Every structure is written in C-alpha cells, then in structure tokens.
Amino acid sequence: MGQRTMENQENIKVEMTIEDIINNEVFENALDNKLSAIRHNPIGAMARSNQFTRLDEMGLLSDAKKLRNSYLEILHKKSQLPSSLRRAVIYICQPILEKILKAAGATPNK
C-alpha cells in the first residue's frame, strides 16, 4: 500500500498562475538579488540607459515589491508607465520568471 501512495504523490500536478509565481517569495528574492547586483555593479548599456535612471528615480530599482507590482500591472495591461519604462521593467523581471518556470519544469497549458 505504501508503494501505491508514493506513485500517486508523484503524479500530483501543481497548477499555479503566472501571478502566483510572481507573488511568491522565490520571485521576490530573486528580483531583490538582481536589483542588488544592478545597484552594486552598474555596468553596460543598463547603467547608461535613461529608462533605468528613471526607474531608479521612481524608487523601483530599490524596492523589489514595487518593481514586482509594476511588472504585474504591465502583464494585466493596467500600467500607466510609458512604453520605454515598461520595456525596462520587463527586461529586468522576465528572465527571473523564465528561470523559475524552467527550474520547476513547468509546461504550458494546452
């Protein structure tokens, strides 16, 4: 009987929405780490970009929760940010989401 229980547990699928993942502390911690790296090592095009300067002035590069919420607004098409700033937020957040999905072995719904 113990073997059957283990087999059943292995077949359990966990379904989460993208919003669930973004609101998860794993995403927030990864985003906070990325923002810390950006602040401590501002190199390349990102450091010279007006979009990132503006996001920093708005406090979005110093607060992972604010940036995460801006990302969610963009995904829900409710963001009031100009398109250039929306692209900058996506540039920061999208790779984190993709990495989490890949690590979880997520498969898209059909």
Side-chain angles (χ1 to χ4, degrees), residues 32-83:
D32 195 40
N33 289 339
K34 187 168 187 174
L35 292 176
S36 181
I38 290 170
R39 285 191 302 273
H40 289 85
N41 194 13
I43 58 173
M46 186 181 298
R48 296 185 300 271
S49 165
N50 289 336
Q51 291 82 4
F52 289 96
T53 301
R54 183 70 185 113
L55 290 177
D56 193 29
E57 290 169 353
M58 296 170 69
L60 293 175
L61 294 186
S62 58
D63 188 338
K65 286 182 183 182
K66 279 183 169 180
L67 188 61
R68 179 195 66 198
N69 291 339
S70 290
Y71 185 51
L72 284 170
E73 287 176 356
I74 292 166
L75 293 178
H76 289 297
K77 303 213 182 291
K78 295 183 180 188
S79 177
Q80 298 298 312
L81 293 174
S83 64

